[in-house]
Amino acid sequence: MNTEPFLPAHVPVLIAGGGPVGLTLAALLAHRGVSCLVLEADASWCEGSRAICLSRRSLEILGWVGADRPLCAKGLPWIGGRSYFRGTEVLHFEMPSDPAERFAPMVNIQQYYIEQYAHAAAVRAGGVDVRWSTRVSAVRPQADGVVVDCQTENGRTHSVRADWLVACDGGRSTVREQLGLQLEGMQYEGRYVIVDIEQDTRRRVERLAWFDPPSNPGSTILMHRQPDNIWRIDYQVADHEDPAEAVKPENVLPRVQAHLDMIGETAPWKPLWISIYNAKCLTLPRYRHGRVLFAGDAAHLVPIFGVRGLNSGLDDAGNLAWKLALVQGNRAADALLDSYSSERVLAAHENIAFGAKSTEFMAPPHHGFALLRQAALRLALVEPGVRSLINPRQTSAVEYLDSPLNQPDPDTSFVGGPRAGMPAPEARLRTWQGMSHLTELFGNEFVALYFSNDAQLPNAVQRVVDSRSDAAALRVIRVSAEGSPDLHSVVDELGQAWQRYGAMQGTLYLIRPDGYVMGRWREAASRSMDIDRVLERALKDLS
């Protein structure tokens, strides 16, 4: 076995896979002071658009490492879409969107840009070593770490010992194979050809779908605008078509031309990338196996309909990073990582359930589903009440209502507001730096939102803050309805935060670093022991 000095012999965290999930996880860990080695088999960022729709939640996660600004500057935001049956529009939908929100509900941007910006964020944070053209070849778990053999571009093999290995190496995960693990679930037979083309257009940015269009009878076609004058086109191929033949340019380009002619897109165009896809609803039963953790497509595969694939992987990274950083820094027991597995497996099952329903409509698995779809589409022509059946529910943040980290509500007087395990709502606020968003306060530490117009913290709450001087410190932000903001307080001029959190004078919410509610107290001044106990249990005593 050859060894070379340029590869470290030991790293705190080794991430297998330098796609968007692996690079985002590396950036998140680096921001928390954890050094990472990222091994990616490809020579650079991916080719082709691949995953293109980023959710608001994903943009929040990428915002924790400063990757949100270039993404929003480059990406194309959208809030809704249209569906057509043959030549007639049968659905126009819009997702909930508030002008006060930090991000649009969805942003279209090619995956290679996401990888580029996540990589840049990781490099800026420091402590991240990304090695391209280097693939994992063997994994040997041990009691206190993992030994990983990797092969570089010149064919030489190196061994690296890691305290923790995170498998972000995709649907054909080598790490998963090395551990003898199998994804569970089902795979659909229906296939979609995916095509990127370059064409100038003035059409608005929205999700477009055609069922049985005159341009390609019997098919389903999806279209999304992307940056750089690129259309992403997905169309269903018949069951009898050979996949190898289906992706040949001579078979793809006439179908694309026919569809562009039908919708009146007459500008010159050229193809950039062609691939093929079929829907899978698969997950590992557990995402933690000793010192090996799984995230993204290595952990679960979900259908593209509803754009849950990459977005669920980024949510994995956001959930895992703060927990792994606390465990690696000896500030939390490693049982905290079991909550990563339980929460994200729950999320995968929810994503798979919605994805399966969407797939059964978008690519009917047998004649019965095809008949049901045909009936729904025909009814939608004349009955508006049926039209919601046509729209695949778009991805949204999963609720961890049964998480072991949750503090049960000690008060029954809350009317509204998020319960423990729910994502913390957004609000537009005035800070000492100007107008900002509440979610910008999350991402690095535990945050206590204390709703009060009194500038003085209660002694009981102050004692909890003072007792937490380590890296798992609790940051208290006072949310007042009036007055002037400072380093430790914000002003809710619009009343959004008080209303959305169901708050009254003295209410306190404890927010996890990933922006989820951990507990809430109507009268925080008398609950200091409860607040402290919730943190101690999560960090040290979780069982």
Side-chain angles (χ1 to χ4, degrees):
M1 180 175 63
N2 295 298
T3 60
E4 293 182 358
F6 72 90
L7 267 178
H10 172 264
V11 292
V13 176
L14 191 153
I15 298 173
V21 176
L23 291 170
T24 300
L25 177 62
L28 290 167
L29 287 170
H31 270 259
R32 292 168 173 83
V34 180
S35 298
C36 308
L37 172 64
V38 181
L39 305 180
E40 169 53 47
D42 290 340
S44 185
W45 307 307
C46 72
E47 295 181 354
S49 59
R50 300 182 189 267
I52 62 166
C53 298
L54 280 182
S55 68
R56 179 182 286 136
R57 168 67 180 168
S58 291
L59 288 164
E60 288 178 9
I61 292 168
L62 289 159
W64 300 340
V65 295
D68 56 323
R69 290 186 180 181
L71 280 163
C72 290
K74 186 70 175 178
L76 304 179
W78 58 280
I79 63 171
R82 300 174 190 273
S83 296
Y84 301 86
F85 177 47
R86 295 175 179 164
T88 304
E89 183 178 308
V90 290
L91 173 71
H92 178 209
F93 74 92
E94 289 191 356
M95 294 173 283
S97 181
D98 186 326
E101 290 278 2
R102 183 177 167 194
F103 301 113
M106 290 285 172
V107 170
N108 281 357
I109 187 166
Q110 297 93 316
Q111 182 173 314
Y112 45 79
Y113 283 124
I114 303 170
E115 293 179 2
Q116 178 181 337
Y117 300 146
H119 180 228
V123 171
R124 282 196 307 271
V128 176
D129 185 0
V130 179
R131 300 304 178 100
W132 307 103
S133 302
T134 305
R135 64 180 66 250
V136 171
S137 57
V139 176
R140 300 191 297 279
Q142 300 183 356
D144 58 350
V146 187
V147 176
V148 178
D149 290 344
C150 52
Q151 196 170 61
T152 56
E153 188 175 17
N154 59 18
R156 294 182 176 177
T157 299
H158 308 262
S159 290
V160 179
R161 181 178 181 82
D163 298 332
W164 298 91
L165 168 62
V166 186
C168 302
D169 52 342
R172 297 182 177 89
S173 170
T174 299
V175 177
R176 193 177 63 227
E177 179 183 342
Q178 282 285 305
L179 268 61
L181 303 174
Q182 296 289 328
L183 296 171
E184 299 177 355
M186 66 177 297
Q187 177 170 307
Y188 291 90
E189 293 301 320
R191 291 183 175 87
Y192 273 75
V193 168
I194 303 171
V195 192
D196 286 346
I197 68 167
E198 183 178 349
Q199 183 188 44
D200 188 23
T201 181
R202 297 187 182 276
R203 195 178 292 257
R204 66 180 296 180
V205 183
E206 55 187 353
R207 193 223 68 181
L208 300 171
W210 287 264
F211 299 94
D212 194 16
S215 61
N216 286 274
S219 180
T220 300
I221 299 177
L222 302 174
M223 289 186 75
H224 280 278
R225 278 191 60 194
Q226 300 178 77
D228 307 326
N229 288 329
I230 293 176
W231 278 113
R232 159 70 174 266
I233 303 172
D234 302 39
Y235 66 82
Q236 188 180 10
V237 298
D239 292 341
H240 66 269
E241 291 186 68
D242 182 346
E245 292 293 319
V247 295
K248 290 182 176 180
E250 60 265 30
N251 295 321
V252 173
L253 303 190
R255 292 194 186 191
V256 171
Q257 184 65 65
H259 186 69
L260 293 174
D261 290 343
M262 186 194 83
I263 65 174
E265 293 290 344
T266 58
W269 63 277
K270 63 179 180 181
L272 301 175
W273 179 70
I274 301 173
S275 186
I276 196 165
Y277 164 88
N278 69 316
K280 301 176 180 67
C281 294
L282 302 168
T283 182
L284 288 172
R286 290 183 295 119
Y287 297 167
R288 181 189 176 190
H289 294 263
R291 292 277 181 142
V292 183
L293 301 134
F294 290 83
D297 285 355
H300 46 73
L301 294 168
V302 298
I304 59 171
F305 311 113
V307 296
R308 293 176 174 83
L310 173 57
N311 290 301
S312 63
L314 293 175
D315 232 339
D316 292 343
N319 187 300
L320 176 59
W322 68 274
K323 297 175 181 178
L324 184 54
L326 288 173
V327 171
Q328 176 62 21
N330 295 317
R331 297 184 293 273
D334 68 1
L336 182 61
L337 295 172
D338 294 328
S339 74
Y340 161 71
S341 178
S342 62
E343 289 175 354
R344 295 309 299 159
V345 168
L346 167 74
H349 283 295
E350 181 173 311
N351 284 322
I352 284 170
F354 284 115
K357 290 179 182 178
S358 299
T359 299
E360 287 160 359
F361 192 89
M362 301 299 291
H366 56 68
H367 185 61
F369 279 103
L371 287 175
L372 287 172
R373 185 178 85 164
Q374 187 82 347
L377 289 167
R378 288 181 179 277
L379 276 173
L381 292 170
V382 295
E383 181 52 61
V386 177
R387 291 172 183 170
S388 62
L389 297 174
I390 300 170
N391 180 35
R393 175 183 165 183
Q394 309 301 315
T395 184
S396 59
V398 173
E399 298 177 354
Y400 305 135
L401 297 181
D402 295 323
S403 171
L405 303 183
N406 292 349
Q407 163 70 18
D409 270 353
D411 302 300
T412 58
S413 57
F414 273 96
V415 178
R419 292 180 288 150
M422 297 176 70
E426 181 66 283
R428 184 86 166 145
L429 302 166
R430 181 171 296 282
T431 73
W432 68 279
Q433 293 179 309
M435 295 303 291
S436 187
H437 293 89
L438 183 55
T439 56
E440 293 184 68
L441 303 175
F442 308 145
N444 289 314
E445 55 203 337
F446 292 94
V447 172
L449 298 177
Y450 179 59
F451 291 84
S452 175
N453 293 319
D454 186 348
Q456 187 70 33
L457 282 181
N459 290 334
V461 176
Q462 187 64 55
R463 282 195 298 272
V464 177
V465 178
D466 293 341
S467 69
R468 303 206 153 269
S469 58
D470 61 5
L474 173 67
R475 179 187 180 197
V476 176
I477 301 293
R478 184 173 65 89
V479 184
S480 64
E482 56 193 23
S484 300
D486 56 35
L487 284 172
H488 306 290
S489 66
V490 295
V491 180
D492 184 21
E493 291 181 346
L494 304 178
Q496 293 177 339
W498 282 64
Q499 187 271 327
R500 293 172 183 176
Y501 285 79
M504 58 179 284
Q505 181 76 14
T507 295
L508 186 144
Y509 275 80
L510 179 61
I511 312 297
R512 298 170 12 169
D514 59 356
Y516 274 81
V517 174
M518 204 167 177
R520 61 180 182 173
W521 294 264
R522 177 62 82 191
E523 300 280 350
S526 61
R527 295 289 188 175
S528 64
M529 292 303 295
D530 283 358
I531 299 167
D532 200 47
R533 193 178 301 117
V534 170
L535 287 169
E536 277 301 306
R537 180 172 176 272
L539 299 176
K540 302 295 184 183
D541 303 322
L542 195 64
S543 59

